[in-house]
Amino acid sequence: MKQVAEHGSADSFTGSESDAAAHLEALLLDAVKLRMIADVPLGVFLSGGIDSSTVVSLMQAQSDRPVKTFTIGFHEAAYDEARHAKAVAQHLGTEHTELYVTPAQAQAVIPRLPTLYDEPFADCSQIPTFLVSELARAHVTVALSGDGGDELFAGYNRYFWNHHIWRRIGWMPRKLRVLTAGAITTLTPETWDTLLKGPWSKWINAELMQSPGDKLHKLAQVLPTEDQGAFYFSLLSHWDNPAALVRGGKEPATILTDRRRWAKLKDFRQQMMFLDTVTYLPDDILVKVDRASMGMSLEARVPLLDHRVVEFAWRLPVSMKIRDTQGKRLLRQVLKKYVPTELVERPKMGFGVPIDSWLRGPLREWAENLLAERRLEQDGVLSPLPIRKKWTEHLSGDRDWEYQLWDVLMYQAWLENERHVR
């Protein structure tokens, strides 16, 4: 992958954006067509976002019958993309199946996770991924997925925020950034929310106005970093000092921390895409989809990761991927030939479930049992103090620590299952 990224960057595409879009469309059409070859019923996951909508569009364009599309919906509006997926499906004329999942249905998946993943796997979108696989398997045996688009075509917010924030703070002496971080954290996230949601809100980006205090505290965590690489690493990390979480722990060297293994790329946004492609994509995204789907005897295929698409994506200049704070520019150019822009243009949503509120509500007893101080002490692996501190803050509503706590909970649940198996 390193060689592909370096060679692609060195041999950058020099044609026009319309030429690039036409070439990408041709590659994607063939990549999708190849993965539609099956002697069993075939379908596709549809979230209504750019990646899945592109795959569905190109499938339907090459099918003589309505493509079978599958979507999971949630009644919590902040987590529900089903209405967007339905609009795309109606426009394309697919045979659409959606299921609105209740909290009880989603929570019932949790006890199955340790055996389904067979390791402490802690991406909470594993729950809806399993549910959509279960839904699809009732109708088809093979399903296409839109995974890979974020890494190849710059879909993650961190690519924009790292670039834009560092341009604004990189010139500051580190001591000044440390002082600024300290000043931010003198006020609680709740106090910042109150201050910023007043008359100031009309001057602040709408996306930032969702939990602005929590975002400011996250910014305070990364302000003291030494350079863009450290900034990126801090954006990826759930725990500030993961080694302190494990008794006698020491974080091993990985490609993220060993810069000698990084690709030689001029633009750090490309470097972030490269690192995500060799870490987050294979170790999280593809593991999540593969085990969730195979747990239901469903084969998932990923056309965006066709080697020709990957190689061409790395030849694209950053300007054909990112414009201001919007990514996937060229992929959007392809998609708009099939789906009206207004059906897919909206802030990026993660494929998740409201774990934050569930941990304060219906999952509280389950979590408290796994995070009990006495239990952590007896297990002898994790340090109870930082875990209990975050658990207390989360329950109080002072902070949102769902990702940090989910990491620990999945380890604890896996450990408990291992003991029962043995």
Side-chain angles (χ1 to χ4, degrees), residues 229-415:
F231 189 4
Y232 164 72
F233 188 70
S234 66
L235 288 173
L236 291 182
S237 303
H238 288 178
W239 289 83
D240 294 338
N241 184 10
L245 197 64
V246 181
R247 299 182 190 188
K250 181 180 180 182
E251 190 168 10
T254 67
I255 190 172
L256 291 173
T257 56
D258 184 358
R259 300 191 183 191
R260 294 170 298 178
R261 297 163 61 186
W262 290 12
K264 293 179 176 61
L265 301 167
K266 295 179 181 179
D267 192 313
F268 193 73
R269 289 171 293 184
Q270 291 179 308
Q271 192 70 257
M272 288 187 283
M273 284 183 263
F274 164 72
L275 291 171
D276 281 346
T277 300
V278 296
T279 57
Y280 185 57
L281 179 62
D283 297 337
D284 184 320
I285 302 299
L286 296 182
V287 170
K288 175 186 66 179
V289 173
D290 182 64
R291 296 189 190 175
S293 59
M294 291 309 293
M296 289 305 304
S297 299
L298 176 74
E299 179 187 341
R301 298 176 180 177
V302 191
L304 296 185
L305 293 182
D306 182 288
H307 72 93
R308 297 164 299 170
V309 176
V310 174
E311 289 164 1
F312 182 64
W314 274 106
R315 292 189 61 212
L316 296 173
V318 173
S319 61
M320 289 189 185
K321 297 181 180 182
I322 298 174
R323 185 67 55 90
D324 296 324
T325 57
Q326 187 185 67
K328 301 182 183 175
R329 178 170 176 79
L330 203 64
L331 208 55
R332 293 172 195 269
Q333 298 300 314
V334 173
L335 179 58
K336 74 178 183 180
K337 290 184 60 177
Y338 300 89
V339 177
T341 300
E342 60 269 19
L343 293 186
V344 292
E345 290 294 354
R346 61 185 186 278
K348 182 175 176 60
M349 294 175 65
F351 190 38
V353 288
I355 292 292
D356 54 345
S357 59
W358 289 358
L359 289 175
R360 299 185 185 103
L363 293 181
R364 180 169 179 168
E365 183 178 351
W366 168 78
E368 181 59 61
N369 179 52
L370 292 173
L371 301 178
E373 184 171 0
R374 182 177 179 183
R375 179 171 188 157
L376 292 168
E377 288 282 3
Q378 289 176 341
D379 290 342
V381 178
L382 302 179
S383 300
L385 185 61
I387 296 170
R388 294 299 303 180
K389 183 176 184 294
K390 279 189 167 40
W391 178 231
T392 301
E393 290 175 350
H394 187 84
L395 290 178
S396 70
D398 289 342
R399 296 298 303 271
D400 181 4
W401 297 120
E402 61 173 307
Y403 299 117
Q404 291 82 355
L405 293 168
W406 194 249
D407 295 342
V408 178
L409 287 166
M410 285 297 95
Y411 170 74
Q412 290 292 93
W414 170 81
L415 186 61

Side-chain angles (χ1 to χ4, degrees), residues 6-41:
E6 291 175 344
H7 285 183
S9 179
D11 183 28
S12 184
F13 184 81
T14 56
S16 68
E17 188 171 279
S18 59
D19 290 340
H23 187 61
L24 177 60
E25 182 184 11
L27 288 175
L28 289 173
L29 278 166
D30 195 54
V32 168
K33 183 179 180 179
L34 285 173
R35 285 153 187 85
M36 291 173 66
I37 298 172
D39 56 4
V40 293

